[in-house]
Amino acid sequence: MAITSVKNLKEFSTTNERFEGAHLLCPGCAHSMIVRELMNCSDDNLVISTNTGCLEVSTAVYPYTSWDTSWIHIGFENAATAAAGAEAMYKARKRKGTLKNPDAPVKFVAFGGDGSTYDIGFQWLSGAVERGHNFTYICLDNENYANTGGQRSSSTPIGASTTTAPAGRVSYGEKRNKKDMMAIMAANGASYVAQVAPNKWKNMAQAFQKALSIDGPCYINALSACTTEWKFDPKDTINISDLATDSLVFPLYEIIDGTELNITYRPKNVLPVKDYLAAQGRFKHLFKPENAHILEEWQKRVDEKWEYLQRREEARV
Amino acid sequence: MAEKIDLQEIEVWDGNYAAAQAMRQAQIDVVAAYPITPSTPIVEGYASFMADGYIDGEFVMVESEHAAMSGCVGAAAAGGRVATATSSQGFALMVEVLYQASGMRLPIVLNVANRALAAPLNVRGDHSDMYLGRDSGWVQIDAFNAQEVYDMNLCAFRVGEHHDIRLPVMVHQDGFVTSHTAQNVCPLSDDNAYKFIGEYKPMDELLDFSRPVTHGAQTEEDWHYEHKARQHKALMDARPVIESVFAEFEKVSGRKYKRVESYMVEDAEVIIVALGSTVESARLAAQQLRDEEGIKAGVVGPRVIRPFPFDAIRDALENCKAIGAMDRSCPGGALGMLFNEVSAAVYATAKRPLVTNYIYGLGGRDLAIVDIKAIFRELKANADAGKITTQIQQFIGLRGPKLGFFETREGK
């Protein structure tokens, strides 16, 4: 049963299993929630490519695989191009009549972490989107190189302590703001971009289904709370995600054809940013008196971004 | 259906166009490519065939050579015929994915118009890029002229796509000297060429959803070694497959190819071993020296670089007295690749010919017939003396004073 007709989480738990539970991801890792939901969103055949990273090393360790669908991994940076190559082959073979199941619908999906999406695979993603391949790229955004022990990426937010930008006696950790991949991908010509989070699972399913149904390149930035590197209890993954969406640190919205921006989730009670930060070990040092200005900047920036998104939504441009 | 082209019995093509025509005839499903001098006309030629309705497959112009090979890997895993072309820096940028393509056992044909590697930046021909690929696990086939570029492309698909092999194949040609020099080429008709190559037979394809497959899994110390050993075995097993494909090709074309091409080696006292267009120059020099000076000169050109034709090279060289191994790549603090491999092959022979190493032609520096004759004469002196009379490695055709390295025990 595809998730289209799923009404509640209990039903969701009985949806088809193309992503097996036997994998090596950390307990409490949000990656598997996001991947499983994507795969349950559609009854179509799926070709999945995955960049090197937590997901890849945890789901396809020979002689085992967690993928009960076609799956390919090449390198750290080129999952978008792997999907593009497979999609080109599908088109060629469909035209030539050499497919084994010519009438079965096929969807192409690429997964990457933020390291392989924001940083090392940025060019490959940009190229595949620019060329208009019919595929959906999903960034499992945990804001660091978690697979290699928590180094900073260009998705790491300001003030986070990582192993390559640690907080220390004279440093509050990461000095730069998170790169805005949503704006970049919208400007890059993606037909559809959306920011999603696994705590808002129906919202996430809608975005996935929209992306899979669109004939063109789609980009989805999925918040993937990282128990290991963000330093919170594995049982709190969804709670942390709730704090991220409800404090508007991670607003949920979509951009259609580069212009039409829709906010897809409006928290009833907007929480202070410091509540989100305080729940994670990676921001602990920000609560020292000397780092108070970082907390203030955080709140100010989140408020400004929310204001911007609302104005974009109203303006319809 | 793609339109066919009614080719002449003899066409005038350069190496690049010969490659593009062979790729068209192979009815490739996906070409993912990025242009780079001097291989660009291959991609341009293919694009013009596409624009004129001669191609049914997909042609994906990507944003880099790394992406070109990445797209080829994704496409090949999806179960169809795949090829591309590159040179030099583009080849270097592809290297990561070259290893992935062979490790994932995907048949992809890569045309390489060989060119120097920077720095200094240089667009001319040498074999630096070819040598960079030598441990990549690809079958590497060398074409000495435009006709062979065409012929080897047709054979490359057969070899790589053979289900016992399933490895990617490079077809090398010299940048500019071969890639840009128009020569007579006798092609097969479109029908005969495709009949020879045959239909692509998918294996473990991503697009067969009745049997989902995982491509590119992780292996650590428990399985990695077994995978790499099997990959090496597949590459070594390509030797008889290459021979049978060459034999079949002779039947349809009348042109005979071997893993090692020997020229006048039966009675040769001195032999030059070289790659690329230099093989043809050396053949001319050898013939002239036999006629003019009575030096029994011969030439050995490895047609197949990987899998290294150890046996065939040994057999071709075992009866001569002195060998000049010519490397067209800066050896980077060692003896040249060809020197090392030729030496290994003749070490097991009873008479162990003397082997010296000539570095030449870097960055497109011309190698004249007089230069090759001078090498043959030096080899003759070694043969007569029964020992190496020069330094073991010499740079030839270089401006300024002579440059040589690696001394024999006698200090020469």
Side-chain angles (χ1 to χ4, degrees):
Chain A
M1 179 171 63
I3 207 166
T4 27
S5 50
V6 170
K7 299 284 186 296
N8 55 50
L9 267 175
K10 197 176 171 189
E11 271 184 45
F12 178 60
S13 69
T14 65
T15 52
N16 71 13
E17 287 278 5
R18 286 192 279 186
F19 182 69
E20 300 293 336
H23 54 66
L24 304 171
L25 290 162
C26 300
C29 174
H31 279 19
S32 55
M33 304 176 198
I34 299 161
V35 171
R36 189 164 179 276
E37 185 158 332
L38 177 276
M39 300 187 74
N40 288 349
C41 265
S42 169
D43 288 325
D44 293 347
N45 291 315
L46 293 171
V47 174
I48 305 233
S49 67
T50 304
N51 278 326
T52 307
C54 287
L55 180 65
E56 172 266 326
V57 302
S58 302
T59 60
V61 182
Y62 184 88
Y64 306 105
T65 183
S66 306
W67 303 91
D68 194 11
T69 189
S70 301
W71 185 85
I72 182 168
H73 155 255
I74 311 176
F76 199 175
E77 63 290 88
N78 49 11
T81 322
E87 183 250 13
M89 182 57 76
Y90 172 75
K91 282 200 277 194
R93 292 183 62 191
K94 185 149 184 158
R95 190 156 57 237
K96 291 183 178 187
T98 62
L99 289 170
K100 288 213 173 78
N101 327 95
D103 301 322
V106 183
K107 301 286 192 263
F108 297 86
V109 177
F111 283 109
D114 52 285
S116 65
T117 304
Y118 287 62
D119 290 348
I120 197 169
F122 187 62
Q123 172 189 312
W124 288 255
L125 171 59
S126 173
V129 168
E130 173 273 320
R131 292 190 300 274
H133 293 283
N134 188 8
F135 82 119
T136 295
Y137 187 100
I138 300 174
C139 174
L140 302 166
D141 188 355
N142 60 18
E143 302 186 332
N144 76 107
Y145 289 91
N147 184 42
T148 48
Q151 296 79 31
R152 65 90 59 183
S153 77
S154 57
S155 172
T156 303
I158 193 166
S161 182
T162 58
T163 59
T164 49
R169 208 162 50 81
V170 296
S171 174
Y172 56 82
E174 179 60 35
K175 298 292 185 295
R176 293 166 195 85
N177 289 323
K178 184 182 172 85
K179 185 161 149 183
D180 189 351
M181 276 299 285
M182 289 284 284
I184 292 168
M185 283 295 112
N188 203 138
S191 304
Y192 178 74
V193 305
Q195 193 148 271
V196 300
N199 53 314
K200 300 297 167 196
W201 64 279
K202 284 188 178 174
N203 174 296
M204 186 161 80
Q206 280 165 5
F208 286 163
Q209 282 169 341
K210 210 180 255 187
L212 292 179
S213 70
I214 286 170
D215 186 7
C218 300
Y219 174 82
I220 291 184
N221 206 58
L223 177 78
S224 188
C226 177
T227 167
T228 308
E229 301 302 338
W230 295 10
K231 298 180 173 53
F232 60 80
D233 196 308
K235 71 175 167 42
D236 287 332
T237 305
I238 292 300
N239 294 334
I240 294 288
S241 306
D242 278 339
L243 288 168
T245 54
D246 288 22
S247 66
L248 300 171
V249 166
F250 202 85
L252 306 187
Y253 62 103
E254 63 183 15
I255 306 171
I256 299 164
D257 289 330
T259 51
E260 186 188 331
L261 189 150
N262 302 305
I263 293 168
T264 58
Y265 170 67
R266 283 168 210 280
K268 285 195 188 75
N269 301 305
V270 175
L271 302 172
V273 168
K274 66 176 172 46
D275 289 7
Y276 168 70
L277 302 177
Q280 304 166 59
R282 63 173 171 157
F283 296 118
K284 199 169 73 180
H285 55 284
L286 295 185
F287 293 87
K288 290 180 186 166
E290 65 268 30
N291 291 329
H293 65 289
I294 302 294
L295 292 180
E296 281 168 33
E297 278 174 34
W298 253 103
Q299 186 65 58
K300 187 163 165 279
R301 204 179 57 257
V302 166
D303 292 346
E304 283 169 1
K305 180 74 183 214
W306 184 241
E307 178 67 21
Y308 166 81
L309 291 175
Q310 292 186 102
R311 284 193 184 190
R312 276 282 307 270
E313 185 182 44
E314 278 166 29
R316 315 307 288 163
V317 289
Chain B
M1 271 293 283
E3 295 283 320
K4 287 175 185 168
I5 297 179
D6 196 13
L7 297 171
Q8 305 291 311
E9 197 180 325
I10 301 174
E11 295 276 351
V12 180
W13 293 343
D14 60 21
N16 278 334
Y17 201 64
Q21 284 281 10
M23 286 165 68
R24 178 188 63 78
Q25 291 184 319
Q27 299 186 23
I28 297 163
D29 294 297
V30 174
V31 170
Y34 187 83
I36 181 167
T37 302
S39 68
T40 300
I42 299 178
V43 178
E44 289 174 336
Y46 195 81
S48 71
F49 294 141
M50 185 94 191
D52 290 334
Y54 297 118
I55 306 279
D56 274 337
E58 287 286 307
F59 178 57
V60 189
M61 278 310 295
V62 294
E63 78 286 352
S64 76
E65 289 88 354
H66 191 291
M69 191 45 63
S70 302
C72 285
V73 167
R81 184 162 289 152
V82 174
T84 188
T86 196
S87 295
S88 182
Q89 308 307 126
F91 186 94
L93 190 55
M94 267 185 194
V95 164
E96 182 194 22
V97 200
L98 295 180
Y99 278 71
Q100 287 155 339
S102 60
M104 292 167 77
R105 302 289 301 275
L106 296 169
I108 296 163
V109 171
L110 172 61
N111 274 284
V112 189
N114 291 116
R115 168 186 147 185
L117 284 172
L121 185 63
N122 176 298
V123 298
R124 301 287 161 186
D126 75 25
H127 294 153
S128 305
D129 45 7
M130 176 202 282
Y131 282 27
L132 181 60
R134 72 197 195 210
D135 288 344
S136 65
W138 286 55
V139 175
Q140 287 179 281
I141 301 179
D142 193 20
F144 310 150
N145 56 45
Q147 177 73 62
E148 295 176 2
V149 170
Y150 173 81
D151 293 348
M152 290 305 112
N153 262 274
L154 301 190
C155 293
F157 289 103
R158 284 285 301 273
V159 172
E161 293 172 9
H162 193 289
H163 276 193
D164 292 345
I165 308 305
R166 288 183 295 130
L167 284 172
V169 184
M170 291 173 202
V171 178
H172 293 281
Q173 59 175 302
D174 279 358
F176 291 105
V177 170
T178 305
S179 70
H180 283 64
T181 305
Q183 297 176 303
N184 284 358
V185 175
C186 302
L188 304 185
S189 69
D190 282 11
D191 286 341
N192 287 343
Y194 188 70
K195 209 169 123 193
F196 171 73
I197 299 171
E199 291 204 354
Y200 187 88
K201 295 180 190 67
M203 192 168 172
D204 299 333
E205 50 163 310
L206 289 172
L207 297 175
D208 177 7
F209 298 96
S210 64
R211 189 175 157 272
V213 285
T214 287
H215 281 268
Q218 179 103 355
T219 61
E220 291 301 334
E221 68 279 15
D222 48 355
W223 283 110
H224 188 82
Y225 191 22
E226 282 70 22
H227 275 88
K228 297 316 281 185
R230 286 185 61 162
Q231 185 187 331
H232 179 67
K233 182 176 187 304
L235 189 49
M236 295 307 290
D237 288 348
R239 289 179 301 173
V241 173
I242 292 167
E243 281 172 357
S244 72
V245 168
F246 283 171
E248 275 189 60
F249 187 72
E250 187 187 356
K251 282 183 205 152
V252 299
S253 69
R255 292 186 288 274
K256 188 177 174 68
Y257 293 108
K258 293 178 177 171
R259 285 185 295 126
V260 170
E261 306 289 1
S262 298
Y263 182 77
M264 299 195 303
V265 297
E266 290 73 20
D267 65 338
E269 220 180 345
V270 290
I271 293 178
I272 276 178
V273 185
L275 293 165
S277 57
T278 305
V279 174
E280 297 204 321
S281 308
R283 286 172 181 171
L284 192 61
Q287 184 63 64
Q288 288 179 8
L289 274 182
R290 279 178 179 255
D291 295 345
E292 294 160 7
E293 300 176 29
I295 295 175
K296 288 179 180 168
V299 181
V300 165
R303 167 77 57 215
V304 178
I305 303 159
R306 291 288 182 271
F308 178 62
F310 184 87
D311 51 343
I313 290 215
R314 177 194 60 208
D315 296 350
L317 297 174
E318 68 177 336
N319 292 322
C320 74
K321 290 181 179 163
I323 299 164
M326 299 193 53
D327 281 291
R328 198 176 184 185
S329 174
C330 189
L335 285 145
M337 175 189 83
L338 212 46
F339 173 90
N340 285 333
E341 298 191 352
V342 162
S343 297
V346 298
Y347 188 77
T349 62
K351 286 179 272 183
R352 277 193 205 160
L354 302 161
V355 192
T356 40
N357 189 203
Y358 294 91
I359 308 300
Y360 77 101
L362 303 192
R365 175 63 47 85
D366 194 29
L367 180 79
I369 299 295
V370 292
D371 301 324
I372 303 174
K373 283 182 175 174
I375 292 169
F376 272 128
R377 288 189 200 103
E378 241 171 47
L379 297 178
K380 173 72 172 137
N382 290 348
D384 290 346
K387 62 180 183 182
I388 292 170
T389 58
T390 60
Q391 284 173 298
I392 296 170
Q393 179 179 70
Q394 295 182 78
F395 279 60
I396 57 166
L398 190 70
R399 292 165 189 268
K402 286 183 87 170
L403 195 62
F405 304 94
F406 298 102
E407 284 74 34
T408 59
R409 272 265 163 87
E410 290 81 8
K412 287 285 272 183

